[in-house]
Amino acid sequence: MESLFTVKAKNTQINKELKNTTDLIIAQRKAASKYQGYVDKLAKNATKGKKGLKQSEVNKYIKLIKNGSLTKDAIKSIKNEKLKTFVENYQTYHDKAVDAKKAVQENIAFV
């Protein structure tokens, strides 16, 4: 009789952990989606208006950020302040989106 309660208690604990992990995965997916939406919006808005950045320049830096080859020193050396601000913001939120996506994958592997 005692082993029945132990098994039931263990199953209850396992179910709680699965629910917590599932909730965490859902939250991380939402975060990844929001961060990705923000970087997409940044890229779209960077070229708007008369004082917008050149699309080719924006695309160049997005590619460098996505492949991980843009260093902090390279960002500091950008002379155009508007471009530098765009690159810093894009880098920050791109990294957050990537981290959230990695966390989702790690938690899925845990389950």
Side-chain angles (χ1 to χ4, degrees):
M1 188 78 155
E2 191 175 308
S3 65
L4 176 64
F5 292 111
T6 304
V7 170
K8 185 176 180 181
K10 285 181 182 178
N11 283 340
T12 299
Q13 186 61 34
I14 289 170
N15 287 336
K16 281 182 183 179
E17 291 298 322
L18 282 173
K19 184 187 179 324
N20 289 342
T21 303
T22 301
D23 290 346
L24 184 58
I25 290 169
I26 291 168
Q28 290 165 331
R29 280 186 175 155
K30 285 181 183 179
S33 179
K34 283 193 177 215
Y35 288 132
Q36 189 59 52
Y38 187 71
V39 295
D40 292 344
K41 185 178 176 182
L42 276 173
K44 182 179 176 182
N45 290 339
T47 59
K48 284 190 173 180
K50 288 184 178 181
K51 295 185 179 184
L53 300 169
K54 292 179 184 175
Q55 187 67 54
S56 60
E57 207 167 30
V58 169
N59 291 345
K60 171 186 157 186
Y61 281 99
I62 288 173
K63 184 177 179 181
L64 292 171
I65 289 168
K66 286 183 175 181
N67 72 25
S69 61
L70 190 62
T71 65
K72 289 184 182 207
D73 288 336
I75 294 171
K76 286 179 185 176
S77 71
I78 297 171
K79 303 283 187 236
N80 181 329
E81 285 301 316
K82 187 171 184 172
L83 178 61
K84 184 189 287 189
T85 299
F86 164 76
V87 170
E88 290 170 340
N89 288 335
Y90 193 95
Q91 178 78 62
T92 297
Y93 289 99
H94 175 267
D95 290 349
K96 289 180 182 210
V98 168
D99 290 345
K101 289 173 188 175
K102 281 182 189 175
V104 167
Q105 293 306 313
E106 289 170 1
N107 282 307
I108 288 172
F110 176 74
V111 176

